[in-house]
Amino acid sequence: MLNKSKQSYKLAAKLALTGLLAVSSMTALSHSNVHAAAASASAGKNAQNDYIKSIYKLASEGKIPGLNAIAGKTPISAVHYKWGEPDVGGDLKGNHYEGYNLGMGKGEYSFGVNKSGVIYDLRNFGTSIDRTGGVKSLTFASVIKSLGTPKEVRFTGKDKIYVYHPSKAYELKFVGPSKVAKGKIAHIDHINVYAGKANT
């Protein structure tokens, strides 16, 4: 009987120890999950901040992400050569816009073209398929956090436009809705790099 009692005691001690280890493992696991989630959120915010700053740097050179074109310098014929005829606006004369939707997560782009055939406005609409990255993931708040308050805010139709001046030659515009439903966050619809001197 004494032997059985010792065995029961040992079994109970093992079970208690196992339970204690399981609880402490779960606690450690939940702490590591919290830390991982916090690190992931922090990394996401840092990545978004870096992305916005890279947009600004490219804009200072007259460029936008995803394109080799330079506003005010690249002829639209170079885009036609690379991507073919545009989905919208290819048969227009004078100052006009041409648009390309490259499809399935590859993005949508638009070009303001002057009467000489030089691109004066580059637009990147990002992709509508994955809004967790790229242009569509940005908000006006994230832009301000990365670049500071814009020197100019414009309103056109239903759009609000934050205007930055990364260089004398170019304007960088973050365009999104001027109003959103209560409880919603206004995400950026597209970005522009505009070369005003080329818009002739």
Side-chain angles (χ1 to χ4, degrees), residues 76-126:
I76 193 64
S77 59
V79 177
H80 293 167
Y81 180 77
K82 183 174 181 178
W83 289 347
E85 289 301 310
D87 300 325
V88 177
D91 55 352
L92 299 174
K93 303 291 182 213
N95 285 16
H96 66 281
Y97 277 84
E98 297 186 11
Y100 290 83
N101 186 342
L102 303 179
M104 293 309 293
K106 294 180 183 173
E108 183 177 346
Y109 299 90
S110 184
F111 304 91
V113 182
N114 68 19
K115 60 188 172 197
S116 300
V118 175
I119 298 167
Y120 64 85
D121 189 9
L122 301 170
R123 296 183 180 190
N124 180 336
F125 290 84

Side-chain angles (χ1 to χ4, degrees), residues 54 82 109 131 135 141 143 148 161 167 191:
S54 74
K82 183 174 181 178
Y109 299 90
R131 293 177 178 252
V135 173
V143 171
I161 306 166
S167 70
I191 58 172

